[in-house]
Amino acid sequence: MKKIKIRNPIVEIDGDEMARVMWGWIKEILILPFVDVELIYFDYHIQNRDRTDNQILTEAAEAVKKYRVGAKCAAINPDQQRVEEFGLKKAWKSPNSGTRNQIGGTLFRQPIVFNNIPRLIPGWRRPIVVARHAYGGMYGGRDMTVPGNGAVELRFVPNGNIPLQREIIHEFKGPGAALGIFNTEESVRGFAMSCLNFGLERGYPVYLGTKNTELAHYDGLFKNSFADVYETKFRKDFEAQGIVYEHRMVDDLAAFAVKSEGGFVWACKNYDGDILSDLVAAGFGSLGLMTSMLLTPDGKTVLTEAAHGTVTRHFREHLAGKKTSTNPIATLFAWTRALYYRGLFDDTPKVQRFASALEQACTETVEAGSMTKDLAMLTGSSSWLTTKEFLQAIASVVDNKIAELA
Ligand code: NAP
Ligand code: MG
């Protein structure tokens, strides 16, 4: 069989524990037998990060920026316990946020939905993609305890020839607390670009939720920036695809989301996104089915990964020589999404078709009743495949699809 040639390289970032084991198996069973691809390899194994004083993070991020498509395996975020376990020099900063911050962009969390896997919210038949603006808001805020009588005010002190502005937040008659948060137009517009680019690429409508009735200036910055970016750069393409962008009150949007059948991008301010990404993940039910993708504002650089961690408990069983039934689907989709975007950027539709065929093969396998333990338990079944058997089951379906691709 002739392999599908991938024109430009993909940056591969390897990781730790069970996720790393699955990563290798996916490559061996479902990727390399079918495609001819140059992989620019970086190893985030905890001991390699330690050996390079975390420098490997910067090198990998630079490579993702250069080649524009990367796929990342889950990696340990070391705490003190891990420092002792591996004899590390120190608890290095997170490999995940470390890499994301160097690339920039917006994180999209997207669940994978199968007809036969029940969801906690059964009405969610299509994915809800949560896009979290990972900048500013509560996370860059300053807060203070107010000791007693007095006023707290917000002041803008200009560097230049514009007027000073001040606004009393509250006249305190007794103790309390106050908070100052910020955002920048540049970051919010970049967020809008990422969200609208994602919606356009996936054919999903995009909804932004804010409370601009309360915060006319702060939430207004989000509402107005999105509206402007949409009108000037996206409306035509959205209308051509029959999808919409809308601003909604965040509470209305929350109620709408629960009653909806899914199938949209939910653009969230930072704190909203923190809460809602976990809420939506729980509603869809399984960690092994949640993918995550970083997309830059121009829509031209992506880093894909599974949302779950390294699945340490299963790895310990694996080390003890037991066969585990860890779900490789989110990790497989990190690969397929990377291939899909590689095909999009290279203008090689055949590569995109292969990526979709692989995802389709995975869906058909699960919907035919072959699955790992976590999913079997959700369906109430007591029979399941090991991780490797499951990957092999997908491979046999891919074999049949490959011929139709040409
Ligand atoms: P985790 O690896 O996500 O696993 C927590 C539990 O969720 C597992 O024990 C398992 O439950 C279930 N689970 C997660 N993924 C699964 C899958 N693919 N198939 C089946 N079950 C799955 O979280 P953690 O144990 O808190 O973290 C382990 C390590 O991962 C930590 O060192 C953490 O720093 C790192 N981490 C990395 C990332 C990342 O790289 N993006 C994200 C999160 C955490 P059962 O035990 O009940 O089977
Ligand atoms: Mg959270």
Side-chain angles (χ1 to χ4, degrees):
M1 189 190 69
K2 240 180 115 218
K3 290 188 189 184
I4 297 162
K5 173 96 188 110
I6 316 279
R7 192 172 291 161
N8 284 298
I10 292 177
V11 176
E12 174 192 4
I13 304 177
D14 211 340
D16 287 301
E17 302 194 311
M18 202 60 211
R20 183 186 181 97
V21 174
M22 294 198 289
W23 188 262
W25 286 345
I26 291 167
K27 230 168 93 174
E28 172 197 319
I29 298 170
L30 289 172
I31 308 295
L32 297 183
F34 301 104
V35 301
D36 176 7
V37 60
E38 183 188 350
L39 297 169
I40 311 286
Y41 182 83
F42 293 90
D43 192 355
Y44 276 13
H45 187 283
I46 180 81
Q47 279 159 328
N48 197 40
R49 281 180 273 144
D50 193 56
R51 195 181 56 76
T52 63
D53 291 343
N54 239 12
Q55 193 51 34
I56 190 87
L57 263 59
T58 306
E59 287 167 24
E62 286 306 320
V64 173
K65 286 198 258 184
K66 176 173 173 194
Y67 294 104
R68 304 195 315 178
V69 179
K72 181 186 159 296
C73 177
I76 291 169
N77 183 8
D79 54 14
Q80 206 44 47
Q81 216 177 329
R82 296 295 202 167
V83 170
E84 278 151 38
E85 182 182 349
F86 294 99
L88 307 178
K89 294 173 197 155
K90 64 175 199 180
W92 298 101
K93 72 172 198 248
S94 160
N96 309 310
S97 55
T99 309
R100 279 178 216 135
N101 292 344
Q102 290 186 47
I103 298 167
T106 298
L107 199 61
F108 294 87
R109 273 188 157 209
Q110 177 167 353
I112 302 153
V113 178
F114 300 113
N115 288 335
N116 58 332
I117 305 299
R119 292 163 289 278
L120 208 54
I121 300 194
W124 286 354
R125 276 181 278 277
R126 303 172 61 209
I128 294 176
V129 181
V130 175
R132 173 178 173 187
H133 183 215
Y135 181 79
M138 230 64 110
Y139 305 81
R142 288 284 174 276
D143 62 339
M144 62 164 74
T145 298
V146 176
N149 274 7
V152 172
E153 71 170 20
L154 206 54
R155 283 208 304 161
F156 168 66
V157 185
N159 278 332
N161 217 1
I162 29 177
L164 182 125
Q165 285 181 47
R166 50 207 310 180
E167 190 79 52
I168 298 279
I169 295 178
H170 190 64
E171 309 254 15
F172 285 84
K173 302 281 177 258
L179 164 72
I181 64 173
F182 74 95
N183 233 298
T184 67
E185 190 175 319
E186 186 192 9
S187 176
V188 175
R189 289 181 72 92
F191 177 49
M193 291 280 299
S194 293
C195 291
L196 294 164
N197 264 319
F198 186 99
L200 191 61
E201 175 48 38
R202 308 299 297 156
Y204 283 174
V206 177
Y207 303 115
L208 166 71
T210 80
K211 201 80 184 181
N212 71 310
T213 45
E214 293 299 320
L215 298 172
H217 304 282
Y218 190 92
D219 282 18
L221 175 65
F222 284 80
K223 182 182 177 196
N224 297 335
S225 300
F226 268 73
D228 185 56
V229 170
Y230 178 66
E231 289 302 330
T232 55
K233 297 197 160 78
F234 288 92
R235 180 186 276 281
K236 263 213 322 259
D237 292 340
F238 266 59
E239 283 175 357
Q241 272 216 38
I243 52 176
V244 296
Y245 159 73
E246 276 172 22
H247 169 265
R248 299 204 182 168
M249 300 313 294
V250 66
D251 42 355
D252 290 344
L253 186 50
F256 163 80
V258 172
K259 289 182 273 183
S260 79
E261 62 162 44
F264 60 92
V265 177
W266 188 346
C268 297
K269 297 192 324 173
N270 206 351
Y271 182 64
D272 297 346
D274 190 351
I275 299 163
L276 294 169
S277 54
D278 286 348
L279 183 141
V280 169
F284 278 101
S286 175
L287 265 173
L289 297 180
M290 188 58 79
T291 63
S292 171
M293 191 183 103
L294 186 72
L295 182 68
T296 54
D298 64 4
K300 297 220 176 339
T301 303
V302 295
L303 178 65
T304 60
E305 59 184 322
H308 62 74
T310 62
V311 212
T312 311
R313 191 185 71 75
H314 296 212
F315 184 58
R316 303 237 152 101
E317 292 196 1
H318 172 77
L319 284 182
K322 290 185 194 139
K323 289 199 168 115
T324 73
S325 181
T326 320
N327 188 341
I329 294 176
T331 305
L332 170 62
F333 274 59
W335 279 99
T336 58
R337 292 283 92 202
L339 285 166
Y340 179 89
Y341 275 89
R342 185 72 281 167
L344 179 73
F345 297 161
D346 292 350
D347 199 15
T348 49
K350 195 172 170 186
V351 173
Q352 289 179 283
R353 287 203 297 276
F354 171 70
S356 303
L358 200 45
E359 292 177 2
Q360 191 56 39
C362 176
T363 302
E364 285 174 23
T365 304
V366 172
E367 292 185 351
S370 302
M371 58 189 82
T372 47
K373 182 174 177 181
D374 56 321
L375 301 185
M377 305 266 274
L378 290 173
T379 65
S381 159
S382 56
S383 78
W384 53 76
L385 302 179
T386 64
T387 303
K388 216 164 185 182
E389 288 167 346
F390 177 65
L391 291 171
Q392 278 153 351
I394 299 174
S396 63
V397 181
V398 179
D399 277 333
N400 299 328
K401 289 187 175 293
I402 277 286
E404 302 158 20
L405 278 181

